[in-house]
Amino acid sequence: MFVPLRPIEAARLRYSNITKENGKVYLTIERNKLTANSIKYTKVIITEELYNLIKKYYKISREYGNSVTLFSYKALLKKSKNEQALPEYFNTNNLEFALDRYLSLIFNEEETEYHSQDLKLFTPIVTRHMAIINLIRQGYNSYEIAEISGHSNIHTQSHYSNHIESLIDVDIINIFNSLK
């Protein structure tokens, strides 16, 4: 299952957030929103395969220098134009830069130009919203979604329901078109 992380939550992940307990691997996410002056955490199970990939990345990326965060600013092969004040930390600008760099590697220039409008929508915050909408469509209840997405209460995600109505309309149109 995809956990809808806020970009800042992904950037702030630390290797110490990964633990092994009772034969399972867990990722503990420090949520960005504070509740009653305390930090909220979401603990999710990750696969052994993902854990091994993270462990491999962590080992390789530390060759470029120590980093407080799991993802390393120092390991970015090509950095953005603005040097950052605290290079030991990965941040949301680094995340956006790394995502743009990744997209430039998988799409050639012609494809990038053709899909430019779509690619502008492919941001960490949009994928978070898509994940939450997906959870709603899969039938998760409001309390589960609030917990998984780090919302402080169930009312925070109420605006996502508006998107669902549009998606249902598209689904109905697609069903009609398939029956023709």
Side-chain angles (χ1 to χ4, degrees):
M1 176 176 62
F2 179 76
V3 177
L5 293 172
R6 293 176 182 90
I8 190 67
E9 294 167 346
R12 288 183 182 165
L13 286 174
R14 297 171 186 249
Y15 191 69
S16 60
N17 290 94
I18 301 170
T19 56
K20 279 189 157 187
E21 302 168 26
N22 302 325
K24 294 182 181 176
V25 185
Y26 293 92
L27 172 65
T28 302
I29 303 161
E30 186 176 319
R31 302 321 294 227
N32 194 43
K33 301 289 184 178
L34 299 177
T35 55
N37 297 326
S38 64
I39 299 172
K40 184 177 180 179
Y41 296 93
T42 301
K43 192 173 185 178
V44 295
I45 296 174
I46 62 172
T47 64
E48 191 76 31
E49 181 182 18
L50 178 58
Y51 170 67
N52 288 329
L53 284 171
I54 292 170
K55 200 163 62 169
K56 182 178 179 181
Y57 166 80
Y58 186 79
K59 182 180 178 188
I60 292 170
S61 65
R62 292 322 175 255
E63 293 174 10
Y64 297 94
N66 285 333
S67 175
V68 173
T69 52
L70 171 62
F71 301 112
S72 171
Y73 167 73
K74 295 175 181 181
L76 288 174
L77 296 178
K78 185 177 176 184
K79 296 182 177 52
S80 63
K81 294 173 186 157
N82 303 333
E83 279 296 315
Q84 64 186 58
L86 299 171
E88 298 79 27
Y89 290 85
F90 201 74
N91 62 36
T92 55
N93 291 336
N94 302 146
L95 185 63
E96 297 266 347
F97 179 77
L99 182 59
D100 286 344
R101 178 91 172 101
Y102 170 73
L103 291 174
S104 74
L105 293 172
I106 60 170
F107 289 109
N108 66 36
E109 229 176 276
E110 187 179 301
E111 291 170 323
T112 301
E113 190 175 317
Y114 181 76
H115 296 291
S116 64
Q117 293 303 313
D118 298 330
L119 292 174
K120 287 178 187 173
L121 296 174
F122 192 71
T123 65
I125 200 66
V126 170
T127 56
R128 171 183 161 75
H129 288 213
M130 289 170 41
I132 293 170
I133 289 169
N134 239 354
L135 292 171
I136 295 169
R137 290 183 80 185
Q138 290 176 44
Y140 283 80
N141 71 48
S142 298
Y143 295 100
E144 291 171 314
I145 295 170
E147 178 63 32
I148 292 169
S149 58
H151 290 147
S152 54
N153 62 60
I154 64 169
H155 304 293
T156 307
Q157 70 241 6
S158 61
H159 68 282
Y160 293 105
S161 301
N162 299 334
H163 301 298
I164 296 297
E165 292 171 14
S166 299
L167 290 171
I168 290 171
D169 291 343
V170 169
D171 287 343
I172 290 171
I173 290 169
N174 285 339
I175 290 170
F176 268 133
N177 287 337
S178 71
L179 295 174
K180 286 184 178 179

